[in-house]
């Protein structure tokens, strides 16, 4: 009978669309989970890099502090540029030798003429 066929075809199309919608929802959900996982991995990698940079800055500060006073002067800063760990750290941040005096002045927030470890790390 034609009316039964039309009804059956309508039900079949509705079920097919519902099933397709369900499959699409699962795919979108999995893609969202993967993206969130990727963001979390990126955040962890960024934190790891920041920690490495902080450790490099501390190592550079210790290498620059010739008199072990806990602070570095402009002379220690400029003179220590050729120490490998210092040069590597500064080059990682695109700091060239000709920028050292300006950088020191910017980091010396209290204008004391020397940088404490905290000033060096916080202002770098």
């Amino acid at each position: 009978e034609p009316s039964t066929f039309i009804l059956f075809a309508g039900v079949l199309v509705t079920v097919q669309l519902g099933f397709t919608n369900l499959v699409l929802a699962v795919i979108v959900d999995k893609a969202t989970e993967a993206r969130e996982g990727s963001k979390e991995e990126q955040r962890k990698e960024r934190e790891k890099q920041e920690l490495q940079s902080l450790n490099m800055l501390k190592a550079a500060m210790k290498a620059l502090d010739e008199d072990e006073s806990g602070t570095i002067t402009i002379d220690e800063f400029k003179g220590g540029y050729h120490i490998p760990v210092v040069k590597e750290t500064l080059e990682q941040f695109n700091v060239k030798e000709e920028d050292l005096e300006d950088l020191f002045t910017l980091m010396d927030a209290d204008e004391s003429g020397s940088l404490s470890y905290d000033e060096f790390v916080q202002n770098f």
Side-chain angles (χ1 to χ4, degrees):
E1 209 172 298
S3 62
T4 305
F5 176 74
I6 293 174
L7 178 64
F8 182 72
V11 169
L12 185 61
V13 168
T14 302
V15 169
Q16 182 67 28
L17 287 174
F19 183 72
T20 304
N21 194 17
L22 180 62
V23 169
L24 182 62
V26 169
I27 291 171
V28 168
D29 189 45
K30 292 295 180 185
T32 301
E33 285 177 13
R35 188 180 69 202
E36 290 300 320
S38 177
K39 284 182 181 179
E40 181 66 20
E41 288 175 23
Q42 289 174 354
R43 184 189 62 76
K44 286 180 181 179
E45 182 63 29
R46 192 171 43 250
E47 285 177 357
K48 181 181 172 184
Q49 288 175 347
E50 287 174 0
L51 183 60
Q52 284 177 328
S53 294
L54 183 62
N55 288 335
M56 285 182 72
L57 285 173
K58 287 179 181 178
M61 180 69 184
K62 287 181 182 180
L64 287 169
D65 189 13
E66 294 174 356
D67 61 1
E68 298 180 5
S69 64
T71 61
I72 58 171
T73 63
I74 184 69
D75 294 330
E76 288 175 322
F77 191 59
K78 288 168 50 176
Y81 182 77
H82 298 287
I83 299 171
V85 68
V86 175
K87 188 171 186 173
E88 181 183 331
T89 302
L90 293 174
E91 285 178 349
Q92 187 178 24
F93 293 99
N94 296 319
V95 176
K96 298 180 179 27
E97 190 169 9
E98 58 268 12
D99 300 328
L100 293 178
E101 195 165 332
D102 292 334
L103 180 61
F104 186 90
T105 302
L106 288 172
M107 290 191 307
D108 187 16
D110 62 2
E111 299 178 1
S112 64
S114 63
L115 294 173
S116 67
Y117 281 28
D118 289 336
E119 262 184 318
F120 185 77
V121 172
Q122 287 175 356
N123 294 327
F124 198 82

